[in-house]
Amino acid sequence: MPGEWLNRWREGRIGFHRPQVHPALIQHWPLLGARPGTKVLVPLCGKSLDMRWLAQHDHPVLGIELAEEAIEQFVAEGAGEISRYRQEPFAICRQGSVELWCGDFFHFHIEQAAEIDAFYDRGALIALPPATRQRYAFHLAQLIPPGARGLLISLMRAPGDEGGPPFSVCADEVRELFEPNFLVTHLEDGEPEEGSGFRESVWAMVRRGPIV
């Protein structure tokens, strides 16, 4: 899976990238109640413009991305001074109030997440095969404190289409993965995307108490 992901970026096969801010983020994020200044974790962030939207709305952003190409494209397409430093095993690139950590999300630990109090997942869960999703949901819960709020966008493919990534993740699986450690609220289902048959679902989440 990591090799396939890196190859997609190297070869420019990034049809999953949206060239505009996701409308569900614009609509639902303000209703979560995350205070201005709250730092937002964006796992498997790619070069999503959603990070710039969050930054423009007074949220420092920490994005984690395996593909160096995605990070370099993000900062090249942005504006402002770029600073670079390391916090092993990650190479970090900062532009404005967006930090991009290049490396494996599962190697990002609680000590590095000390200031994070919110999260946004538009492309992480649906990029992972079934065998990895449980590990992802548990690791996310480890990284953020009780009371932290987040927005998740999942996706269902057309009936009979079992391809991926992005992979189908049904509503029952979202609840099974996250409800042990999050209060999960289904917000809406989008209309099927023309030409693909993809249908997105939007979820609000609040981290519960002790991790289980």
Side-chain angles (χ1 to χ4, degrees):
M1 173 62 192
E4 168 64 16
W5 183 254
L6 294 174
N7 286 337
R8 280 174 173 245
W9 279 99
R10 289 170 185 148
E11 297 165 8
R13 295 185 288 120
I14 54 170
F16 48 81
H17 172 71
R18 294 182 68 101
Q20 61 280 124
V21 177
H22 200 294
L25 176 65
I26 298 171
Q27 178 180 353
H28 294 292
W29 185 268
L31 306 178
L32 290 182
R35 298 186 305 274
T38 299
K39 192 169 190 175
V40 181
L41 175 66
V42 185
L44 284 65
C45 62
K47 61 171 185 175
S48 174
L49 298 179
D50 296 348
M51 294 188 288
R52 296 202 190 280
W53 186 91
L54 287 164
Q56 290 163 1
H57 288 78
D58 300 319
H59 291 293
V61 173
L62 193 159
I64 303 177
E65 173 54 49
L66 189 61
E68 182 180 0
E69 288 85 353
I71 292 173
E72 293 303 324
Q73 289 176 31
F74 180 88
V75 296
E77 294 165 7
E81 184 177 345
I82 301 166
S83 57
R84 300 177 187 271
Y85 47 101
R86 291 194 66 87
Q87 189 169 136
E88 295 298 339
F90 293 90
I92 304 169
C93 183
R94 182 184 182 100
Q95 187 177 54
S97 57
V98 178
E99 295 176 33
L100 299 173
W101 292 50
C102 186
D104 187 335
F105 173 70
F106 295 109
H107 294 164
F108 186 78
H109 298 299
I110 184 65
E111 296 81 7
Q112 297 164 317
E115 299 177 355
I116 291 170
D117 205 24
F119 70 94
Y120 173 63
D121 176 353
R122 179 255 155 180
L125 180 67
I126 60 176
L128 298 172
T132 311
R133 291 175 202 150
Q134 184 69 55
R135 183 185 179 199
Y136 168 76
F138 184 77
H139 190 55
L140 181 65
Q142 289 179 308
L143 294 175
I144 59 177
R149 300 171 185 272
L151 196 68
L152 167 73
I153 301 175
S154 62
L155 177 148
M156 283 291 293
R157 285 177 169 268
D161 182 358
E162 302 301 326
F167 295 100
S168 283
V169 183
C170 69
D172 287 345
E173 184 177 357
V174 170
R175 293 189 176 96
E176 180 181 348
L177 289 170
F178 290 98
E179 281 187 341
N181 291 304
F182 294 87
L183 174 64
V184 179
T185 304
H186 177 246
L187 299 178
E188 69 167 335
D189 290 321
E191 294 297 324
E193 292 187 13
E194 185 176 351
S196 70
F198 294 175
R199 184 186 185 99
E200 292 182 326
S201 297
V202 185
W203 307 81
M205 298 194 181
V206 182
R207 174 76 161 77
R208 298 184 191 271
I211 195 166
V212 297

